[in-house]
Amino acid sequence: MKRSSYIIMAAVVVLFALSWIFKAMALDGETEHYITRAFLVTFSAFLTLAVLSFLYRDNPFYKFAEHLFVGISAAFWMCVGFWTTIVQNLIPRLSQPLSEFFEVPYIGGSFSIRFYLPVILGILLLLRLSRKVGWLSRWPLAFIVGTTAGLNFVRYLRSDFIQQISSTFVPLLGTRWEGFGHFFSHLDLSATGQLSMILANWVIFLGVFCGLIYFYFSKEHTGVFGKASRVGIWVLMFTFGASFGYTVMGRISLLVGRITFLFKDWLGLIS
Amino acid sequence: MNIFDRMMLLDRRWVFLSLVIVCVVSYIIPFQIPIMVTDEVESIYDMIDTLPEGEIVLLAMDFDPSLLAELQPMTYAMAEHAFRKNLKVIFVTLSQNGPGMVDQAIREVADSVRLDRTYNGVFYKGKEIVNGEDYTFLGYKPYFALIILGMGQNFRIPFPSDYYGTALDSIPMMKGVLNYDQVACVVDICGGNVVDAWISYGQGRYNFKLALGMTGVMAADYYPYLNSGQVVGIMGGLLGAAEYEQLTDNAGLAKDGMRVQVFAHLLIILFILMGNIGYFMSQRDKRKLGR
C-alpha cells in the first residue's frame, strides 16, 4: 500500500469520527439512543459517498461498500426466508412442540402429507452439497421448473398474448364518426375527441403492424415491405426514447434521494 | 484541437460533477414548478377518492430500499389519501427488504394523519390510525406468484398471522375478509418483476381493479396494459408521485424532487446537444481534410 493511501485512509477515519461526534451532539436530547443513531447516520453517509466515489474511479471504499451490501443482503434474505416461511408458515402446520419452541400459534390439526412434501423436497435440494447423493437434488429442481413453466405458460398466454392482441383490435373509423363535414361544422370537444381517438387508433394499428413487419425475416425488406419495416424501426426508436427519458428521470430521482439524505439527515443543512 | 474536438473528449467526470452541482443547488433553493396531471394518474386518484368509507384497499409495496427515493413518495401520498377518506388498508410486501420500509411508512403516515389538515379545500380532522381496525400489515412471504394466487383463495393461506404475529382471525378488520372479493382495489407499488405476477396471476385470474405505481425505468413498458384495460392507471416514477401529490393537494418529497428533475434534465439535454454538435462538426472537419 502506498503512503498516500495511508494518508487518505487516516483522513477518512478522522472525518468519520468527527462526523459521529458532531452528529451525536446535534441529536443529543432529540432521541434516546443518540450515540447509536449518530453512528448509523454517519455510517450511512459514509457508504453513500463510498458508492458515489466510483464515479471518479474504482477504489477500496467502493469495494468495501459493495461487498458489505452483497454479504448483508445474502444473510438478511436467508434469515427472512427462514423466519417468515419455515417458522411462520410451515412449523405451525407440522408440529405443536416446534410451534411452542418458536413461539408461533399452532394451526395444524390432523396429519396431512401435503405439508411434509415441501420439507422432503427442501431437504433433497440441500443434498446438492453432497457428491454422492447430489443427484437427488434434481427432483425438487424438476418440480420447480415444471411448476414455473406451467404457471408462466398460462400467464403469458392470457395477459401478454391474448389480451394484448385483442387490445389492438381498435375501431379505425371511430364509433360515432359522422365525417369531416360534421367535424368542421361542429368544432366541439366531442368531435375533436372522436378525431383524436381515431388518430390514436391508427397510430396503434400502424405501429403494431409495421413493428411486426420489422421482425418478419422471411422476406427481403425492399419496396413497400421495406418502407413499412422502416416505419417499424421508427416506432421502436420512439419506444426506446420514451424508456430512456423515464430512465434518466429514475436515476435523477435516486440521486435526489441521496442528496436529501446527505443534506437533511446527515448534515442537517435543509429542513 | 478545436472546441468541437474538446467537446467530444470531455471527461465524463465533469458531466457527473456538473450534474451533482445542479441537483444540489436546485434542491436547496426552494421554489415551485407547475405539475401537469396525466389521465393515467388521475384515474388512480379517482378510483381511491370515489370509494365509500370503510372499503378495503390492498396496498402492495414490492420494492427494495434502493428505490425508496422514487417509490416512497407515492406510497405516502396514496396511504394518507386512503386514511383521510376513512378507507381501510391491507399492506403487504413481496420484496425481502420490504417489511421494515412498510413498517416505517405506516408509522410516518400515521403521524401525518394525526394532524388536522385541509386538502383541496376540504378540512380533515386528525385521527389516530389503529392497527387491526384501520390497517393490517400482512408482512412478507417469498415466491410472489404463489402468494398472489394464495391470497386469491384466502389471505390466511400465505399469511396465517400478520407481520406483528397476530392471527388474522383475531384482527377486527379482517373479519369476513377472505380474499380479493372483499377488496375494492389493489395498488401495487413496485420496482421489479412482481408487477408481472400481479397483472397475470392476480388481475388476470381474479379480475380485481389493479393500479400500478412503478419506477420510471419500468413505466414505459407497462403502458400496453393500460391501453388494454388490464390496469386502471400507472404512476411512473417521481413524476407520477408528484402528480398524485398535486391531486391530493398534499405536497411532499415528490414535488420537491421534481424541481431538481427540471434542471437536471435541461443539463442532460445540453450535454446531448453538445455531444451531437461536437460529433457532426468534427466529422465535417474530417471530410474537409479528406478532400
Side-chain angles (χ1 to χ4, degrees):
Chain A
M1 225 161 123
K2 287 182 197 169
R3 191 163 168 261
S4 58
S5 302
Y6 282 112
I7 294 169
I8 291 170
M9 199 73 82
V12 169
V13 170
V14 170
L15 283 173
F16 187 93
L18 284 174
S19 162
W20 186 3
I21 292 164
F22 283 120
K23 194 69 204 170
M25 285 160 65
L27 289 173
D28 189 9
E30 279 183 35
T31 54
E32 198 183 338
H33 307 286
Y34 64 96
I35 295 177
T36 315
R37 171 87 185 142
F39 174 78
L40 291 174
V41 171
T42 306
F43 193 58
S44 303
F46 164 72
L47 291 176
T48 301
L49 294 173
V51 170
L52 287 175
S53 69
F54 184 75
L55 294 175
Y56 183 70
R57 69 173 169 207
D58 201 0
N59 62 76
F61 296 110
Y62 172 76
K63 279 199 163 55
F64 170 74
E66 190 185 30
H67 293 167
L68 189 73
F69 175 73
V70 172
I72 287 181
S73 296
F76 183 76
W77 288 7
M78 190 180 155
C79 289
V80 168
F82 177 77
W83 286 101
T84 59
T85 313
I86 295 176
V87 172
Q88 281 190 5
N89 275 33
L90 187 62
I91 284 174
R93 290 174 168 115
L94 286 185
S95 141
Q96 192 162 8
L98 272 176
S99 303
E100 284 166 8
F101 178 76
F102 284 106
E103 296 176 353
V104 285
Y106 178 62
I107 52 173
S110 55
F111 175 82
S112 175
I113 186 72
R114 69 191 172 115
F115 293 122
Y116 285 87
L117 274 175
V119 179
I120 296 163
L121 289 173
I123 292 166
L124 288 179
L125 202 58
L126 287 174
L127 291 179
R128 193 177 179 78
L129 299 169
S130 160
R131 276 187 188 175
K132 280 185 180 174
V133 287
W135 58 274
L136 282 169
S137 67
R138 289 178 194 163
W139 291 355
L141 274 176
F143 179 80
I144 292 167
V145 171
T147 319
T148 311
L151 283 169
N152 278 348
F153 175 74
V154 178
R155 177 200 136 181
Y156 279 107
L157 194 68
R158 191 182 167 121
S159 68
D160 287 35
F161 190 71
I162 295 171
Q163 290 221 22
Q164 289 305 313
I165 289 175
S166 65
S167 71
T168 57
F169 292 160
V170 286
L172 295 175
L173 295 175
T175 47
R176 298 191 311 276
W177 181 245
E178 294 170 18
F180 279 99
H182 180 82
F183 170 69
F184 285 118
S185 58
H186 298 79
L187 274 175
D188 57 2
L189 281 174
S190 63
T192 50
Q194 275 284 302
L195 186 70
S196 62
M197 192 199 78
I198 290 169
L199 286 174
N201 287 350
W202 273 97
V203 169
I204 290 171
F205 170 69
L206 290 175
V208 172
F209 189 69
C210 296
L212 286 172
I213 283 178
Y214 174 71
F215 287 104
Y216 187 77
F217 302 116
S218 299
K219 182 176 165 31
E220 199 178 348
H221 289 192
T222 51
V224 178
F225 199 76
K227 284 193 171 62
S229 163
R230 193 85 189 150
V231 174
I233 295 176
W234 276 94
V235 171
L236 292 177
M237 290 300 146
F238 281 129
T239 313
F240 298 149
S243 287
F244 176 71
Y246 263 121
T247 305
V248 170
M249 188 180 75
R251 299 298 176 243
I252 299 293
S253 303
L254 300 183
L255 184 60
V256 170
R258 288 297 84 198
I259 290 171
T260 308
F261 169 74
L262 290 174
F263 283 83
K264 191 177 166 188
D265 298 330
W266 183 44
L267 297 174
L269 292 178
I270 49 173
S271 59
Chain B
M1 188 185 284
N2 60 28
I3 187 168
F4 301 116
D5 292 328
R6 280 177 197 277
M7 280 161 71
M8 290 299 292
L9 295 172
L10 184 71
D11 193 324
R12 66 193 167 90
R13 284 173 286 201
W14 288 110
V15 178
F16 296 144
L17 183 66
S18 42
L19 194 62
V20 167
I21 291 169
V22 165
C23 286
V24 170
V25 171
S26 55
Y27 191 79
I28 289 174
I29 301 168
F31 62 94
Q32 291 291 321
I33 58 156
I35 304 285
M36 306 297 169
V37 178
T38 51
D39 290 344
E40 50 268 32
V41 178
E42 195 165 4
S43 56
I44 300 177
Y45 171 82
D46 289 340
M47 181 182 77
I48 301 287
D49 204 57
T50 52
L51 285 176
E53 281 187 17
E55 285 283 349
I56 296 173
V57 177
L58 194 149
L59 188 57
M61 290 172 63
D62 305 328
F63 56 93
D64 284 344
S66 57
L67 298 169
L68 208 67
E70 215 177 350
L71 300 177
Q72 194 81 315
M74 63 177 74
T75 311
Y76 279 37
M78 184 161 278
E80 181 159 351
H81 185 206
F83 285 133
R84 294 277 184 198
K85 301 295 291 183
N86 291 321
L87 302 173
K88 296 181 188 299
V89 183
I90 297 174
F91 291 97
V92 66
T93 178
L94 301 177
S95 155
Q96 291 96 331
N97 299 327
M101 286 189 315
V102 180
D103 194 43
Q104 183 192 356
I106 291 169
R107 277 187 280 115
E108 291 185 5
V109 171
D111 285 344
S112 181
V113 177
R114 215 169 277 137
L115 305 170
D116 293 348
R117 290 275 168 83
T118 302
Y119 296 127
N120 287 324
V122 180
F123 176 75
Y124 292 96
K125 188 154 179 56
K127 60 175 182 179
E128 201 69 39
I129 299 299
V130 183
N131 180 18
E133 289 178 17
D134 299 296
Y135 74 89
T136 299
F137 176 29
L138 298 177
Y140 161 77
K141 288 285 184 302
Y143 304 109
F144 48 81
L146 302 178
I147 303 302
I148 291 166
L149 287 169
M151 287 194 290
Q153 292 175 51
N154 192 329
F155 285 113
R156 286 149 192 83
I157 294 174
F159 298 100
S161 53
D162 74 351
Y163 176 67
Y164 308 102
T166 314
L168 242 55
D169 283 326
S170 51
I171 295 174
M173 188 192 127
M174 295 303 287
K175 286 213 168 88
V177 179
L178 279 183
N179 49 39
Y180 300 124
D181 289 344
Q182 286 79 43
V183 171
C185 61
V186 176
V187 182
D188 181 34
I189 297 176
C190 59
N193 59 349
V194 183
V195 65
D196 294 325
W198 275 111
I199 294 169
S200 311
Y201 300 128
Q203 197 278 334
R205 181 156 176 180
Y206 297 104
N207 207 28
F208 49 69
K209 280 185 184 174
L210 176 66
L212 305 177
M214 52 181 51
T215 61
V217 180
M218 295 165 61
D221 294 340
Y222 287 86
Y223 272 78
Y225 295 108
L226 181 72
N227 190 47
S228 65
Q230 286 164 279
V231 297
V232 175
I234 291 177
M235 282 186 287
L238 206 65
L239 177 63
E243 289 176 38
Y244 203 89
E245 285 181 0
Q246 174 82 4
L247 284 164
T248 52
D249 189 23
N250 182 11
L253 292 167
K255 283 185 88 172
D256 265 354
M258 281 315 291
R259 59 172 199 263
V260 180
Q261 294 276 1
V262 170
F263 289 99
H265 274 75
L266 284 175
L267 185 73
I268 289 165
I269 290 168
L270 181 73
F271 278 123
I272 290 172
L273 286 175
M274 277 173 64
N276 278 283
I277 290 168
Y279 174 76
F280 284 114
M281 297 308 275
S282 59
Q283 288 295 102
R284 194 189 67 172
D285 290 348
K286 274 181 196 164
R287 277 200 300 272
K288 272 184 187 171
L289 286 171
R291 280 175 197 167

